[in-house]
């Protein structure tokens, strides 16, 4: 049996036309002793995280209220999901998905991403373990991963291929404990090394983000928003993207690209698992625009 996706619950609730929530978190700092004064308590703050949903479109907002009664907006965004295509579209203050060697600040702009983790977390997108064995008599088979039983099967005599084992990042020690109908027991052991970046054959993930750079607390910004210390640099547009695809059960490759007015960077990475471990090989190149001098400097 090679079903990679998980079965949906039988009694799924239909999403409400309108819904929302607010998370409230508060904190205060205490300094026991400073260099030039006695210890004191200060900087109380309240963090508010809210989201409202209307007909499938979500508005998220993050606000911090400080002890001086100042209000700082840490991000506002609209989110629209297309679960059947595993797509999420985000407009506003976005934190782009990035891969190896990529960096950069947050953006005011748009992100379109294909992310199983966010939209179908129960879907097994990573390579699965495989072990073939033969049963001469009716038997009970216990499947263990890293010492924990994850499956119990009652099987008839015949040849079997165990697949779709949920493999986690790192070393996976798989044990099959086979007990036949007269009580004879045998054990099969094997080890699989895997990494989070590895994808099953044919499975892909990708993300594309574009906009202008944003930063909290910047002093050299073009615009300070209302009731906010979040700044946008409209003279610094940026784009970042990557595409990752599983080629075989052991090999996954990806390409990535980033650019702003000063730097362009792109590269390729390959991830693969072997009997002795998990490995990643990557290469990237970049080009920086030469700096211009001012006033004859």
């Amino acid at each position: 049996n090679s079903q990679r996706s998980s079965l949906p619950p039988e009694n799924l609730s239909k999403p409400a036309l309108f819904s929302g929530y607010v998370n409230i978190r508060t904190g205060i700092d205490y300094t026991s002793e400073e260099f030039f004064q006695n210890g004191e308590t200060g900087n109380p703050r309240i963090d508010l995280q809210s989201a409202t949903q209307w007909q499938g479109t979500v508005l998220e907002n993050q606000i911090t209220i400080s002890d001086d009664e100042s209000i700082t907006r840490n991000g506002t965004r609209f989110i629209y999901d297309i679960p059947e295509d595993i797509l999420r579209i985000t407009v506003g203050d976005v934190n782009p998905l990035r891969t190896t060697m990529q960096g950069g600040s947050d953006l005011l702009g748009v992100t379109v991403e294909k992310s199983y983790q966010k939209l179908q977390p129960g879907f097994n997108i990573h390579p699965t373990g495989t072990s073939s064995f033969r049963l001469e008599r009716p038997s009970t088979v216990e499947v263990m991963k890293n010492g924990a039983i994850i499956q119990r099967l009652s099987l008839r005599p015949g040849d079997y291929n165990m697949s779709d084992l949920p493999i986690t990042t790192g070393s996976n020690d798989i044990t099959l404990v086979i007990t036949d109908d007269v009580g004879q027991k045998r054990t099969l052991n094997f080890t699989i090394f895997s990494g989070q970046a590895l994808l099953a054959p044919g499975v892909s993930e990708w993300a594309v983000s574009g906009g202008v750079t944003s930063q909290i607390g910047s002093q050299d910004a073009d615009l300070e928003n209302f009731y906010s210390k979040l700044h946008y640099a409209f003279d610094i547009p940026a784009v970042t993207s990557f595409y990752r695809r599983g080629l075989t059960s052991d090999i996954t490759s990806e390409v990535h690209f980033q650019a702003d007015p000063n730097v362009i960077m792109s590269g390729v990475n390959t991830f693969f698992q072997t009997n002795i471990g998990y490995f990643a090989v990557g290469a990237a190149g970049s080009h920086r625009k030469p700096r211009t001098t001012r006033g004859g400097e």
Side-chain angles (χ1 to χ4, degrees), residues 87-275:
L87 291 180
R88 168 167 291 185
I89 302 170
T90 306
V91 180
D93 297 302
V94 300
N95 181 11
L97 282 179
R98 297 182 177 91
T99 186
T100 308
M101 300 185 184
Q102 290 188 323
S105 64
D106 291 345
L107 301 176
L108 172 66
V110 179
T111 290
V112 181
E113 58 187 340
K114 180 181 180 182
S115 174
Y116 287 90
Q117 182 179 1
K118 293 182 179 180
L119 297 176
Q120 293 191 13
F123 195 92
N124 183 19
I125 64 172
H126 301 293
T128 57
T130 301
S131 177
S132 298
F133 60 96
R134 179 176 178 79
L135 299 179
E136 301 294 342
R137 302 180 61 87
S139 302
T140 298
V141 179
E142 293 183 342
V143 183
M144 304 177 66
K145 183 184 72 173
N146 297 331
I149 297 175
I150 60 174
Q151 273 185 318
R152 282 190 178 93
L153 304 170
S154 296
L155 302 177
R156 297 178 179 179
D159 294 319
Y160 290 91
N161 181 43
M162 293 294 299
S163 61
D164 287 328
L165 301 181
I167 304 302
T168 56
T169 300
S171 175
N172 293 267
D173 296 321
I174 307 299
T175 301
L176 302 181
V177 180
I178 303 171
T179 306
D180 64 22
D181 58 351
V182 296
Q184 292 184 333
K185 182 180 293 187
R186 62 190 175 107
T187 302
L188 302 177
N189 296 289
F190 59 97
T191 300
I192 296 175
F193 294 92
S194 183
Q196 190 64 31
L198 284 174
L199 299 177
V203 175
S204 63
E205 288 188 314
W206 53 267
V208 178
S209 301
V212 297
T213 59
S214 64
Q215 189 173 356
I216 295 178
S218 173
Q219 300 299 318
D220 300 320
D222 294 339
L223 175 67
E224 182 171 340
N225 300 281
F226 66 99
Y227 73 88
S228 177
K229 296 179 182 178
L230 185 63
H231 303 267
Y232 303 129
F234 288 100
D235 60 339
I236 310 178
V239 62
T240 181
S241 62
F242 75 89
Y243 178 86
R244 181 184 303 130
R245 186 177 182 87
L247 303 181
T248 71
S249 296
D250 300 321
I251 301 175
T252 295
S253 288
E254 70 178 12
V255 293
H256 56 85
F257 175 81
Q258 281 188 313
D260 63 27
N262 298 314
V263 181
I264 297 176
M265 190 271 286
S266 64
V268 60
N269 299 307
T270 299
F271 312 93
F272 55 96
Q273 61 182 356
T274 70
N275 292 331

